[in-house]
Amino acid sequence: MNARLDVFALPSAGKVIKQFMSLGRLVVDSPLPATTRELVSLRVSQINGCAVCVDMHTKEAAAAGETSVRINLVAAWREATVYTEAERAALELAEQGTRIADGAGGVPDEVWERAAKHYDEDQLVALVTLIAFMNTANRLNVILQQPAGDYQPGQFN
């Protein structure tokens, strides 16, 4: 598969992508734990069918020391026993925030309350921003048909 556009080669798109990636950098520099960021990024990307982001976040999680068991079970996190309560709350918020149209009422209060029980306000801002960022990145990559498989950990750092 070839990408429909090479956004890194187009001056106009390059400006947009550079600004967009700076938002992603703010999330990386936030107080949200790195493990949580990678698990959430991976789960959102799985839901949206973004192969390039699944590739990226699987490899980034592994490079950061995440176990293959935890990486492989993200798609079935509800039944898996390998995640903390905080991670489970973040994954649940990520799913609800990604599937807003399916809920017809937004993110339920109980989902928010579970996340707020484990994360302070700065971490919640980072978590919500990460979920929105990943949904946008997934849509850009899916629409442009970005191919997956060649990502190298740290490639965009």
Side-chain angles (χ1 to χ4, degrees):
M1 176 192 300
N2 292 318
R4 290 177 169 154
L5 289 174
D6 182 355
V7 294
F8 296 105
L10 298 170
S12 60
K15 290 177 187 177
V16 172
I17 296 301
K18 183 178 179 181
Q19 292 299 315
F20 182 68
M21 295 305 285
S22 68
L23 175 61
R25 173 58 43 205
L26 290 173
V27 174
V28 168
D29 293 340
S30 77
L32 190 64
T35 298
T36 302
R37 284 195 319 267
E38 292 305 329
L39 294 174
V40 164
S41 296
L42 179 54
R43 185 63 190 128
V44 170
S45 299
Q46 289 171 337
I47 292 167
N48 289 325
C50 183
V52 70
C53 290
V54 169
D55 180 37
M56 177 188 304
H57 295 290
T58 298
K59 291 174 179 174
E60 288 292 348
E66 191 57 75
T67 68
S68 60
V69 170
R70 284 171 44 93
I71 292 169
N72 292 330
L73 285 174
V74 168
W77 67 268
R78 290 179 190 280
E79 295 81 20
T81 60
V82 297
Y83 304 107
T84 67
E85 286 301 313
E87 291 166 341
R88 296 170 71 73
L91 289 165
E92 183 179 30
L93 183 62
E95 284 191 1
Q96 291 293 320
T98 299
R99 294 181 166 143
I100 290 175
D102 297 342
V107 174
D109 289 339
E110 59 272 11
V111 171
W112 179 260
E113 290 164 8
R114 278 191 284 278
K117 191 169 109 178
H118 297 284
Y119 300 99
D120 65 29
E121 288 183 345
D122 288 335
Q123 291 172 318
L124 286 168
V125 167
L127 183 56
V128 169
T129 302
L130 174 61
I131 294 164
F133 176 84
M134 287 308 306
N135 274 285
T136 302
N138 292 164
R139 281 155 177 76
L140 288 168
N141 287 320
V142 169
I143 292 167
L144 296 175
Q145 292 185 343
Q146 293 296 319
D150 295 331
Y151 181 80
Q152 298 298 315
Q155 182 174 328
F156 293 121
N157 291 344

